[in-house]
Amino acid sequence: GQQVMQIPQYQHVQEGEDFTTYCNSSTTLSNIQWYKQRPGGHPVFLIQLVKSGEVKKQKRLTFQFGEAKKNSSLHITATQTTDVGTYFCAGTYNNNDMRFGAGTRLTVKP
Amino acid sequence: DAGITQSPRHKVTETGTPVTLRCHQTENHRYMYWYRQDPGHGLRLIHYSYGVKDTDKGEVSDGYSVSRSKTEDFLLTLESATSSQTSVYFCAIGRTDTQYFGPGTRLTVL
């Protein structure tokens, strides 16, 4: 079935280190979105990727969509304590179904 | 944040009792969604609505029903709550590729 796998489930880093989370689908996606959820909060939309091989940047965050439109990554350069939270990807399929990944929980040690 | 409120924000109930959660939006958006969030599962779609009185099932709809009598309100009902329905419930508005979430309702079924 349609499913988006996300790894790792947890990541603990020292402040200033980089962080990457990966999402993978067995079938081609129409587009993929990324959300951030702070502890105790609600998911907040970060960005949408639509084109094959697309790369978008938001300050220290870099988002990539694979050439085959089956995988995506979010990379944070030089993490800060404000980056703490859970990062989710959500893939939309051609039938308009959307599936969220299980999320990667990021903790940052000052 | 988008104008989305959820009520109640917290609820504790007993197995077998009916429960209704409310989502209210001030954005006049056509699409509304109900998700549940559980550790290790990310967000899973329960039901969604594409207009007044127009609803459809999502990935995990068993045991849940919904109603939408006005554009601004989307109700989620658990006809007879079970312990497996203990979760955090989020309402969202928007398209499948860009969604905005409410603050969530934490439901505990004893």
Side-chain angles (χ1 to χ4, degrees):
Chain A
Q2 294 172 335
Q3 194 174 1
V4 174
M5 304 302 294
Q6 187 172 359
I7 59 169
Q9 189 173 0
Y10 302 98
Q11 185 78 56
H12 179 71
V13 301
Q14 191 79 32
E15 189 172 21
E17 292 181 338
D18 291 357
F19 160 78
T20 305
T21 174
Y22 302 89
C23 284
N24 185 68
S25 170
S26 59
T27 53
T28 303
L29 297 166
S30 172
N31 61 74
I32 195 161
Q33 311 96 56
W34 286 92
Y35 294 79
K36 176 183 178 181
Q37 184 176 21
R38 294 184 186 276
H42 59 276
V44 174
F45 175 80
L46 293 177
I47 206 160
Q48 181 195 169
L49 304 170
V50 180
K51 299 177 184 177
S52 168
E54 189 169 16
V55 177
K56 288 188 176 180
K57 293 191 176 185
Q58 289 180 350
K59 297 183 181 178
R60 294 178 294 103
L61 278 60
T62 302
F63 304 85
Q64 294 188 330
F65 200 11
E67 294 289 341
K69 298 183 73 173
K70 290 184 177 181
N71 56 76
S72 181
S73 65
L74 158 58
H75 180 82
I76 302 178
T77 303
T79 54
Q80 300 174 359
T81 54
T82 54
D83 295 324
V84 163
T86 302
Y87 293 85
F88 293 96
C89 62
T92 302
Y93 293 89
N94 291 333
N95 61 359
N96 231 26
D97 267 2
M98 189 171 86
R99 290 286 189 271
F100 279 83
T104 296
R105 183 177 173 186
L106 172 66
T107 55
V108 179
K109 184 176 182 181
Chain B
D1 285 344
I4 310 170
T5 56
Q6 292 185 231
S7 59
R9 295 292 314 278
H10 302 271
K11 184 170 183 66
V12 179
T13 190
E14 293 189 350
T15 298
T17 59
V19 176
T20 296
L21 308 183
R22 179 181 183 240
C23 177
H24 179 79
Q25 61 143 333
T26 58
E27 306 296 322
N28 199 36
H29 208 286
R30 179 182 173 194
Y31 285 84
M32 298 183 75
Y33 310 82
W34 275 108
Y35 290 90
R36 61 177 290 172
Q37 184 174 37
D38 305 290
H41 289 279
L43 291 137
R44 291 181 291 176
L45 182 65
I46 305 171
H47 281 280
Y48 67 97
S49 170
Y50 47 96
V52 173
K53 297 191 191 306
D54 292 324
T55 65
D56 206 347
K57 296 179 180 180
E59 187 184 356
V60 290
S61 59
D62 287 349
Y64 301 95
S65 62
V66 290
S67 65
R68 192 168 178 199
S69 58
K70 298 186 288 185
T71 298
E72 58 266 36
D73 289 327
F74 192 30
L75 303 180
L76 176 70
T77 298
L78 292 65
E79 300 290 348
S80 178
T82 68
S83 58
S84 64
Q85 293 176 311
T86 292
S87 187
V88 179
Y89 291 86
F90 286 101
C91 173
I93 64 173
R95 305 189 310 254
T96 54
D97 58 1
T98 312
Q99 296 192 358
Y100 300 93
F101 287 80
T105 294
R106 183 173 294 275
L107 176 67
T108 302
V109 183
L110 301 175

